[in-house]
Amino acid sequence: MTDALKRLSEEGVAIWLDDLSRKRITSGNLAELIDQQHVVGVTTNPSIFQKAISQGDGYDQQLSDLAARRVTVEEAIRMITTADVRDAADILRPVYDSTGGQDGRVSIEVDPRLAHNTHATVAEAKQLAWLVDRPNALIKIPATEAGIPAITEVIGLGISVNVTLIFSLERYRKVMDAYLAGLEKAKERGLDLSTIYSVASFFVSRVDTEIDKRLDGIGTDEAKSLKGKAAVANARLAYEAYEEVFSSDRWAALDKAQANKQRPLWASTGVKDPAYKDTLYVDELVAPNTVNTMPEATLEATGDHGQITGNTIKGTYDQARSEIAAVEKLGISYDEVVQLLEDEGVEKFEASWTDLLKSTEAELKRLAPSEG
């Protein structure tokens, strides 16, 4: 192992693990990653829980108890997932305490089937915050059109939020605006703004996957020369927007009230194309006050051979703009790509949630006690 993860942390990038399972908790693996690999947070999503619950027997005892109580499959899933998040939050509590609440965080997502329903998303966020009942939990709300007002309302209630599924710069600005509006609401209600935190999960690799596919379809040398550039360029321009918003007069008023900046979180940082360096979306997105949530393979790759050379975002904005413009010049619509990715992101999480419902239902039936 190199000191790359340590250097990454020293550059102001919080390293979070994009995975969670009961085995990871009970085996001591999560505690080990915190102790040895500079991990200071955990993110989850429906796909991660679906995979965790469908593999091994780590959940059999709880599922057996839930089957005996004849709970609904939805209740079973919430009991299982919130138990994991609660336990992970307890393991990360020392990090939360030592960073004044900024890190040591564990995220849990609202039911993705509610992604287009503002009122239901707010209600679900409140319920999850109550169920997990840990100060270092973050409730994940998707940055859909319906999710934007939900973010404002939930932040306004003093609940910390991880905004997920952000692909476009325009939507990211709306997310930051929603966060500031939520803080303003919380301030009006007399809440302590210093206790409210948020990250904005800006998705990276999927942008390259979709745009590269279209560049391959064009097939010219010019098109091929642009492969693997759009995702990093997009994320770098997101950081530019972050710097702008959190140096504004509107932010200054909230800053005086001890509010916390909403950090950009680089999500989907596992490299999908084997032609690219497996630490591409870590090495090229180093900047202060950011989070990079990594699958374990990316975490290990970064620890082994990541090239952390200081801030790799500062001074890149003009180049990033020109790379996005060059892609558009070839007839690839940025707006169309990012909307497609958002739609697909919601659909994928819904599909994982449906699979989770089915596999959990099957397990409840298998473990159900016989009548009598």
Side-chain angles (χ1 to χ4, degrees):
M1 297 291 285
T2 68
D3 287 331
L5 293 169
K6 181 173 183 283
R7 288 202 301 275
L8 190 62
S9 297
E10 288 168 351
E11 289 294 336
V13 181
I15 300 166
W16 291 8
L17 177 71
D18 193 26
D19 191 54
L20 187 63
S21 67
R22 190 149 301 174
K23 185 179 179 184
R24 202 179 276 289
I25 291 164
T26 57
S27 68
N29 172 263
L30 177 58
E32 191 176 283
L33 291 175
I34 295 163
D35 186 49
Q36 298 178 14
Q37 299 208 44
H38 304 277
V39 169
V40 293
V42 169
T43 48
T44 68
N45 62 47
S47 302
I48 285 169
F49 278 127
Q50 193 275 326
K51 182 181 170 190
I53 293 170
S54 63
Q55 292 179 353
D57 58 3
Y59 296 90
D60 276 9
Q61 183 58 59
Q62 189 178 9
L63 280 162
S64 180
D65 290 345
L66 291 165
R69 290 173 50 216
R70 291 182 169 79
V71 303
T72 66
V73 65
E74 279 91 354
E75 185 183 350
I77 287 169
R78 276 308 179 210
M79 291 300 104
I80 290 165
T81 57
T82 55
D84 277 2
V85 168
R86 203 160 36 244
D87 288 345
D90 289 343
I91 293 168
L92 279 154
R93 182 62 190 261
V95 177
Y96 169 83
D97 291 337
S98 67
T99 60
Q102 179 157 264
D103 287 308
R105 295 280 176 174
V106 188
S107 300
I108 184 168
E109 191 139 359
V110 297
D111 185 333
R113 297 171 299 178
L114 307 177
H116 302 297
N117 184 326
T118 303
H119 180 70
T121 294
V122 172
E124 171 93 343
K126 287 159 67 177
Q127 171 73 357
L128 280 174
W130 177 82
L131 266 178
V132 174
D133 193 27
R134 293 294 184 273
N136 49 333
L138 288 173
I139 308 304
K140 288 179 86 173
I141 296 176
T144 54
E145 288 289 357
I148 297 297
I151 294 158
T152 296
E153 188 56 40
V154 173
I155 289 290
L157 294 170
I159 297 170
S160 295
V161 172
N162 175 346
V163 184
T164 187
L165 289 175
I166 310 170
F167 295 94
S168 82
L169 297 167
E170 181 188 3
R171 187 61 58 82
Y172 177 44
R173 285 184 177 277
K174 287 184 179 178
V175 165
M176 289 188 284
D177 181 71
Y179 176 60
L180 298 185
L183 289 174
E184 287 158 355
K185 273 195 171 191
K187 188 180 176 186
E188 283 172 21
R189 289 171 173 154
L191 299 180
D192 180 358
L193 300 194
S194 72
T195 65
I196 305 170
Y197 285 83
S198 183
V199 292
S201 296
F202 200 87
F203 278 54
V204 185
S205 67
R206 294 185 197 180
V207 174
D208 271 343
T209 302
E210 183 60 33
I211 288 181
D212 284 0
K213 185 170 69 177
R214 297 179 185 214
L215 290 169
D216 279 334
I218 294 167
T220 63
D221 288 345
E222 184 187 5
K224 288 176 182 174
S225 74
L226 290 168
K227 285 182 67 179
K229 293 184 176 177
V232 168
N234 196 38
R236 286 172 168 175
L237 293 175
Y239 192 79
E240 180 186 37
Y242 157 78
E243 288 187 311
E244 183 187 311
V245 169
F246 288 98
S247 59
S248 66
D249 290 343
R250 184 182 181 191
W251 168 249
L254 291 163
D255 189 36
K256 277 183 188 169
Q258 271 73 55
N260 300 292
K261 290 180 180 178
Q262 181 188 54
R263 288 183 293 173
L265 178 151
W266 311 128
S268 182
T269 54
V271 172
K272 307 284 196 290
D273 189 332
Y276 303 152
K277 189 184 177 191
D278 54 3
T279 59
L280 172 67
Y281 304 127
V282 179
D283 297 351
E284 299 300 323
L285 294 174
V286 178
N289 214 35
T290 58
V291 180
N292 195 313
T293 186
M294 310 178 201
E296 190 167 22
T298 305
L299 180 73
E300 288 178 355
T302 302
D304 183 63
H305 52 262
Q307 297 293 312
I308 309 305
T309 57
N311 189 328
T312 49
I313 293 182
K314 188 177 182 180
T316 64
Y317 302 144
D318 288 343
Q319 181 192 345
R321 261 187 288 279
S322 70
E323 286 168 349
I324 297 290
V327 167
E328 288 224 291
K329 195 176 173 186
L330 292 175
I332 297 171
S333 166
Y334 172 85
D335 289 342
E336 183 197 328
V337 166
V338 292
Q339 187 58 56
L340 173 71
L341 291 171
E342 179 189 307
D343 293 342
E344 285 182 351
V346 173
E347 285 167 13
K348 282 175 183 173
F349 282 168
E350 279 187 9
S352 294
W353 195 261
T354 300
D355 290 343
L356 179 55
L357 285 167
K358 287 177 182 172
S359 56
T360 304
E361 187 172 35
E363 288 296 287
L364 288 170
K365 282 179 180 172
R366 178 177 72 83
L367 295 164
S370 56
E371 293 296 325

